[in-house]
């Protein structure tokens, strides 16, 4: 039964990884941008929520409701002001811009909040669980995170396939010049895609902050897990992102049953195996 519990916990952990990776997959699928500041944005959301809870005394659920739309707006502005200027200069330019943004965010967080480790108090919601069997329990926070990941992916997929703006986004992902000739404003469309990506990574950061500790330097490790989930599932494939996250989570959870020291190594080995034997990912596709 210990192994069954490990699989269940791994699948739930995969939901968190998938939520982290959703925005990364969307930005790559639409704009071919690998956002190196992705993990740091999640940490910024965590610290912002912590500051709002501490400074205003608002309930955590209100802070979540405020933070996610705020990050969506921040994403739109970041695309229009910062990223759009680098798109025409090639993929290296966007990598350098997002790398610079990552460095700035980390140092800004260090200056404002210091290097101390923090956590976001989720109360009984973060610690409560229910039992599937005598030895297998499911945490409400972990289950909620997994369901949020599924809901986010389903919502984005419906947006892309059933709305006019979503269809314009797909068209711009396929051929920006032709889409522009048909009336699509690529700058606005890309801004919407980035807004969605920032909103999902903010939500992922808040879920992570309630289940674990965080500090200003933890962003790159979150980026690695998100990137591995995207690559394992298939670059640009939204549902592949969920599959990649679950594969990564189960690999880490099962290896921890054997030896806790192997937890991170197992996930990295799965990532390398996919790159070696199926570089297109388990579900090759595109976000749009």
């Amino acid at each position: 039964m210990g192994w069954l519990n490990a699989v269940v916990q791994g699948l739930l952990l995969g939901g968190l990884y998938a939520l982290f990776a959703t925005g990364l997959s969307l930005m790559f699928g639409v704009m071919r941008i690998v956002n190196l500041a992705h993990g740091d944005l999640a940490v910024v959301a965590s610290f912002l929520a912590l500051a709002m809870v501490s400074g205003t005394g608002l309930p955590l659920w209100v802070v979540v409701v405020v933070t996610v739309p705020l990050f969506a707006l921040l994403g739109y502005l970041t695309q229009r002001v910062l990223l759009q200027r680098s798109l025409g200069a090639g993929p290296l330019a966007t990598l350098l811009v997002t790398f610079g943004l990552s460095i700035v965010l980390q140092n800004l967080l260090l200056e404002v909040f210091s290097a101390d480790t923090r956590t976001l108090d989720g109360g009984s919601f973060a610690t409560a669980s229910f039992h599937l069997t005598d030895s297998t329990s499911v945490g409400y926070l972990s289950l909620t995170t997994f369901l949020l990941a599924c809901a986010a992916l389903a919502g984005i997929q419906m947006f892309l396939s059933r709305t006019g703006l979503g269809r314009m986004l797909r068209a711009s992902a396929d051929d920006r010049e032709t889409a522009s000739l048909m009336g699509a404003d690529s700058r606005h469309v890309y801004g919407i895609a980035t807004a969605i990506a920032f909103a999902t990574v903010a939500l992922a950061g808040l879920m992570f902050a309630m289940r674990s500790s965080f500090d200003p330097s933890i962003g790159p490790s979150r980026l690695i897990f998100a990137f591995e989930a995207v690559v394992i599932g298939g670059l640009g494939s939204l549902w592949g992102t969920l599959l990649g996250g679950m594969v990564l989570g189960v690999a880490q959870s099962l290896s921890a049953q054997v030896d806790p020291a192997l937890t991170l190594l197992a996930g990295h080995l799965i990532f390398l195996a996919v790159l070696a034997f199926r570089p297109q990912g388990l579900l090759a596709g595109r976000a749009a």
Side-chain angles (χ1 to χ4, degrees):
M1 297 303 292
W3 292 101
L4 174 60
N5 185 61
V7 171
V8 171
Q9 302 309 320
L11 291 173
L12 295 175
L13 178 61
L16 177 63
Y17 290 156
L19 193 57
F20 267 112
T22 297
L24 199 65
S25 178
L26 181 64
M27 289 187 69
F28 179 83
V30 173
M31 295 174 285
R32 301 300 184 262
I33 289 179
V34 178
N35 181 11
L36 297 182
H38 193 75
D40 298 293
L41 290 167
V43 180
V44 171
S46 301
F47 275 106
L48 177 61
L50 180 65
M52 291 176 66
V53 169
S54 302
T56 65
L58 290 172
L60 185 56
W61 69 269
V62 175
V63 171
V64 172
V65 170
V66 171
T67 302
V68 173
L70 184 61
F71 262 71
L73 177 61
L74 177 63
Y76 187 88
L77 294 176
T78 300
Q79 167 59 30
R80 296 299 297 266
V81 175
L82 187 63
L83 297 179
Q84 185 65 37
R85 300 175 183 272
S86 65
L87 280 175
L92 181 59
T94 57
L95 278 176
L96 292 175
V97 168
T98 57
F99 176 73
L101 180 60
S102 172
I103 298 299
V104 168
L105 290 177
Q106 288 184 48
N107 283 276
L108 182 61
L109 290 174
L110 281 171
E111 287 292 328
V112 176
F113 296 101
S114 78
D116 294 341
T117 299
R118 315 292 177 87
T119 188
L120 193 59
D121 185 11
S124 59
F125 174 68
T127 57
S129 63
F130 63 92
H131 289 277
L132 291 179
T133 67
D134 291 339
S135 60
T136 304
S137 62
V138 174
Y140 288 111
L141 176 59
S142 298
L143 180 60
T144 301
T145 303
F146 185 88
L147 294 177
L148 283 174
C150 293
L153 289 167
I156 293 172
Q157 192 66 58
M158 291 180 64
F159 168 74
L160 293 174
S161 60
R162 299 188 181 184
T163 67
L165 183 57
R167 286 190 286 271
M168 282 195 297
L169 196 151
R170 295 170 62 192
S172 297
D174 286 335
D175 190 330
R176 181 174 61 180
E177 289 75 16
T178 302
S180 297
L181 292 175
M182 299 301 294
D185 183 353
S186 62
R187 294 174 299 176
H188 175 64
V189 167
Y190 288 174
I192 294 297
T194 308
I196 296 172
F198 274 46
T200 57
V201 78
L203 185 59
L206 296 177
M207 294 298 105
F208 173 76
M210 282 187 275
R211 65 179 288 160
S212 182
S213 59
F214 59 93
D215 62 74
S217 63
I218 203 174
S221 65
R222 300 302 98 193
L223 171 66
I224 289 174
F225 291 142
F227 185 72
E228 288 180 344
V230 170
V231 172
I232 291 172
L235 286 172
S237 171
L238 284 174
W239 290 112
T241 298
L242 179 61
L243 177 61
M246 291 192 295
V247 169
L248 188 62
V250 170
Q252 291 182 355
S253 185
L254 290 177
S255 63
Q257 283 288 106
V258 178
D259 184 351
L262 299 176
T263 301
L264 297 182
L265 178 60
H268 299 330
L269 290 177
I270 293 292
F271 168 67
L272 290 176
V274 170
L275 283 179
F277 299 106
R278 191 174 172 81
Q280 72 271 31
L282 300 179
L283 292 179
R286 55 185 175 85

